Amino acid sequence: AQKVTQAQTEISVVEKEDVTLDCVYETRDTTYYLFWYKQPPSGELVFLIRRNSFDEQNEISGRYSWNFQKSTSSFNFTITASQVVDSAVYFCALSEAGNFGNEKLTFGTGTRLTIIP
Amino acid sequence: GAGVSQSPRYKVAKRGQDVALRCDPISGHVSLFWYQQALGQGPEFLTYFQNEAQLDKSGLPSDRFFAERPEGSVSTLKIQRTQQEDSAVYLCASSSVARTDTQYFGPGTRLTVL
């Protein structure tokens, strides 16, 4: 069975500091997909990134970057120069390429990030 | 274009009442998912539709939960004889036909059972 662990329940940093959110996953499949979603106070899950298991290249998008390491089964997310608008709950999720044509997501328990002005 | 919409946004039910939650997916999206998110937890899978076919309902917690998508577009999640433990946010997501394509979520329906 697949599992996602986000060990950091809550993190608080002062604005403009860098912060890294950890994600460790477990799966028996060789083909799988990893995601990060942001859930602001409004409650809607906002898609941030999707990576497949064959692409270990790190990705940068503005102040956001992701570090995917299959050797440690980790998919960490770093926010550089954090801003108050980054305050939210962040979820890491895993999907396996199964037989139904589109597979369910397994989520971690989330990390609540608070950026202090 | 419009995103996934859900209604109502908030629902309060007395224990034992039946409720119906609606999801309008992104136009043209073939796949539709329902998730349940308890307070302080990550979303948990309930059921999955491909067009009108319910291909996976392994996450439905009991036979009181029923979902349908009769015309392959709008979906309804129905909970019969609600219990307090059903209190949660119910999230709907849709994605295109591509295998493991990105799921886009609606704002959710917060259900409170008194």
Side-chain angles (χ1 to χ4, degrees), chain B residues 84-97:
Chain B
Q84 284 190 326
E85 60 263 30
D86 299 336
S87 295
V89 175
Y90 291 85
L91 295 164
C92 175
S94 71
S95 68
S96 72
V97 68

PDB file of all heavy atoms in Angstrom, chain B residues 84-97:
ATOM      1  N   GLN B  84     -22.555  11.677  13.519  1.00  0.00           N
ATOM      2  CA  GLN B  84     -21.614  12.736  13.874  1.00  0.00           C
ATOM      3  C   GLN B  84     -20.246  12.510  13.242  1.00  0.00           C
ATOM      4  O   GLN B  84     -19.569  13.475  12.872  1.00  0.00           O
ATOM      5  CB  GLN B  84     -21.504  12.858  15.395  1.00  0.00           C
ATOM      6  CG  GLN B  84     -22.701  13.561  16.025  1.00  0.00           C
ATOM      7  CD  GLN B  84     -22.478  13.887  17.482  1.00  0.00           C
ATOM      8  OE1 GLN B  84     -21.814  13.153  18.196  1.00  0.00           O
ATOM      9  NE2 GLN B  84     -23.066  14.992  17.919  1.00  0.00           N
ATOM     10  N   GLU B  85     -19.857  11.269  13.102  1.00  0.00           N
ATOM     11  CA  GLU B  85     -18.541  10.986  12.518  1.00  0.00           C
ATOM     12  C   GLU B  85     -18.465  11.316  11.032  1.00  0.00           C
ATOM     13  O   GLU B  85     -17.379  11.290  10.441  1.00  0.00           O
ATOM     14  CB  GLU B  85     -18.137   9.520  12.732  1.00  0.00           C
ATOM     15  CG  GLU B  85     -19.072   8.516  12.116  1.00  0.00           C
ATOM     16  CD  GLU B  85     -20.072   7.961  13.125  1.00  0.00           C
ATOM     17  OE1 GLU B  85     -20.423   8.698  14.074  1.00  0.00           O
ATOM     18  OE2 GLU B  85     -20.488   6.811  12.935  1.00  0.00           O
ATOM     19  N   ASP B  86     -19.604  11.622  10.427  1.00  0.00           N
ATOM     20  CA  ASP B  86     -19.601  12.027   9.020  1.00  0.00           C
ATOM     21  C   ASP B  86     -19.212  13.498   8.859  1.00  0.00           C
ATOM     22  O   ASP B  86     -18.991  13.956   7.728  1.00  0.00           O
ATOM     23  CB  ASP B  86     -20.992  11.818   8.400  1.00  0.00           C
ATOM     24  CG  ASP B  86     -21.457  10.371   8.432  1.00  0.00           C
ATOM     25  OD1 ASP B  86     -20.580   9.474   8.488  1.00  0.00           O
ATOM     26  OD2 ASP B  86     -22.675  10.147   8.432  1.00  0.00           O
ATOM     27  N   SER B  87     -19.130  14.232   9.954  1.00  0.00           N
ATOM     28  CA  SER B  87     -18.747  15.642   9.897  1.00  0.00           C
ATOM     29  C   SER B  87     -17.338  15.760   9.328  1.00  0.00           C
ATOM     30  O   SER B  87     -16.390  15.171   9.855  1.00  0.00           O
ATOM     31  CB  SER B  87     -18.795  16.272  11.294  1.00  0.00           C
ATOM     32  OG  SER B  87     -20.121  16.288  11.791  1.00  0.00           O
ATOM     33  N   ALA B  88     -17.221  16.502   8.237  1.00  0.00           N
ATOM     34  CA  ALA B  88     -15.951  16.632   7.532  1.00  0.00           C
ATOM     35  C   ALA B  88     -16.158  17.590   6.364  1.00  0.00           C
ATOM     36  O   ALA B  88     -17.276  18.041   6.104  1.00  0.00           O
ATOM     37  CB  ALA B  88     -15.481  15.271   6.994  1.00  0.00           C
ATOM     38  N   VAL B  89     -15.070  17.873   5.670  1.00  0.00           N
ATOM     39  CA  VAL B  89     -15.170  18.585   4.395  1.00  0.00           C
ATOM     40  C   VAL B  89     -15.121  17.546   3.281  1.00  0.00           C
ATOM     41  O   VAL B  89     -14.243  16.674   3.277  1.00  0.00           O
ATOM     42  CB  VAL B  89     -14.028  19.598   4.222  1.00  0.00           C
ATOM     43  CG1 VAL B  89     -14.088  20.236   2.836  1.00  0.00           C
ATOM     44  CG2 VAL B  89     -14.101  20.672   5.300  1.00  0.00           C
ATOM     45  N   TYR B  90     -16.055  17.634   2.376  1.00  0.00           N
ATOM     46  CA  TYR B  90     -16.107  16.712   1.248  1.00  0.00           C
ATOM     47  C   TYR B  90     -15.634  17.449   0.006  1.00  0.00           C
ATOM     48  O   TYR B  90     -16.215  18.454  -0.410  1.00  0.00           O
ATOM     49  CB  TYR B  90     -17.521  16.153   1.089  1.00  0.00           C
ATOM     50  CG  TYR B  90     -17.863  15.230   2.230  1.00  0.00           C
ATOM     51  CD1 TYR B  90     -18.378  15.733   3.431  1.00  0.00           C
ATOM     52  CD2 TYR B  90     -17.604  13.866   2.151  1.00  0.00           C
ATOM     53  CE1 TYR B  90     -18.634  14.902   4.505  1.00  0.00           C
ATOM     54  CE2 TYR B  90     -17.870  13.025   3.218  1.00  0.00           C
ATOM     55  CZ  TYR B  90     -18.379  13.547   4.391  1.00  0.00           C
ATOM     56  OH  TYR B  90     -18.622  12.714   5.455  1.00  0.00           O
ATOM     57  N   LEU B  91     -14.550  16.935  -0.558  1.00  0.00           N
ATOM     58  CA  LEU B  91     -13.903  17.569  -1.693  1.00  0.00           C
ATOM     59  C   LEU B  91     -14.155  16.770  -2.965  1.00  0.00           C
ATOM     60  O   LEU B  91     -14.109  15.539  -2.956  1.00  0.00           O
ATOM     61  CB  LEU B  91     -12.395  17.653  -1.461  1.00  0.00           C
ATOM     62  CG  LEU B  91     -11.932  18.549  -0.303  1.00  0.00           C
ATOM     63  CD1 LEU B  91     -10.490  18.242   0.068  1.00  0.00           C
ATOM     64  CD2 LEU B  91     -12.074  20.009  -0.667  1.00  0.00           C
ATOM     65  N   CYS B  92     -14.383  17.485  -4.024  1.00  0.00           N
ATOM     66  CA  CYS B  92     -14.548  16.874  -5.334  1.00  0.00           C
ATOM     67  C   CYS B  92     -13.381  17.334  -6.211  1.00  0.00           C
ATOM     68  O   CYS B  92     -12.924  18.480  -6.102  1.00  0.00           O
ATOM     69  CB  CYS B  92     -15.876  17.321  -5.941  1.00  0.00           C
ATOM     70  SG  CYS B  92     -16.171  16.760  -7.628  1.00  0.00           S
ATOM     71  N   ALA B  93     -12.880  16.456  -7.046  1.00  0.00           N
ATOM     72  CA  ALA B  93     -11.802  16.798  -7.971  1.00  0.00           C
ATOM     73  C   ALA B  93     -12.105  16.203  -9.330  1.00  0.00           C
ATOM     74  O   ALA B  93     -12.769  15.162  -9.434  1.00  0.00           O
ATOM     75  CB  ALA B  93     -10.465  16.269  -7.455  1.00  0.00           C
ATOM     76  N   SER B  94     -11.625  16.859 -10.371  1.00  0.00           N
ATOM     77  CA  SER B  94     -11.783  16.300 -11.707  1.00  0.00           C
ATOM     78  C   SER B  94     -10.459  16.372 -12.460  1.00  0.00           C
ATOM     79  O   SER B  94      -9.580  17.176 -12.123  1.00  0.00           O
ATOM     80  CB  SER B  94     -12.881  17.031 -12.494  1.00  0.00           C
ATOM     81  OG  SER B  94     -12.489  18.330 -12.869  1.00  0.00           O
ATOM     82  N   SER B  95     -10.328  15.498 -13.440  1.00  0.00           N
ATOM     83  CA  SER B  95      -9.138  15.510 -14.282  1.00  0.00           C
ATOM     84  C   SER B  95      -9.499  15.015 -15.670  1.00  0.00           C
ATOM     85  O   SER B  95     -10.552  14.426 -15.874  1.00  0.00           O
ATOM     86  CB  SER B  95      -8.025  14.660 -13.676  1.00  0.00           C
ATOM     87  OG  SER B  95      -8.373  13.296 -13.708  1.00  0.00           O
ATOM     88  N   SER B  96      -8.590  15.246 -16.592  1.00  0.00           N
ATOM     89  CA  SER B  96      -8.836  14.843 -17.969  1.00  0.00           C
ATOM     90  C   SER B  96      -8.671  13.338 -18.094  1.00  0.00           C
ATOM     91  O   SER B  96      -8.416  12.639 -17.132  1.00  0.00           O
ATOM     92  CB  SER B  96      -7.864  15.556 -18.900  1.00  0.00           C
ATOM     93  OG  SER B  96      -6.583  15.015 -18.745  1.00  0.00           O
ATOM     94  N   VAL B  97      -8.795  12.844 -19.306  1.00  0.00           N
ATOM     95  CA  VAL B  97      -8.781  11.410 -19.517  1.00  0.00           C
ATOM     96  C   VAL B  97      -7.393  10.810 -19.359  1.00  0.00           C
ATOM     97  O   VAL B  97      -7.243   9.628 -19.155  1.00  0.00           O
ATOM     98  CB  VAL B  97      -9.342  11.073 -20.922  1.00  0.00           C
ATOM     99  CG1 VAL B  97      -8.383  11.557 -22.012  1.00  0.00           C
ATOM    100  CG2 VAL B  97      -9.646   9.601 -21.076  1.00  0.00           C
TER     101      VAL B  97
END
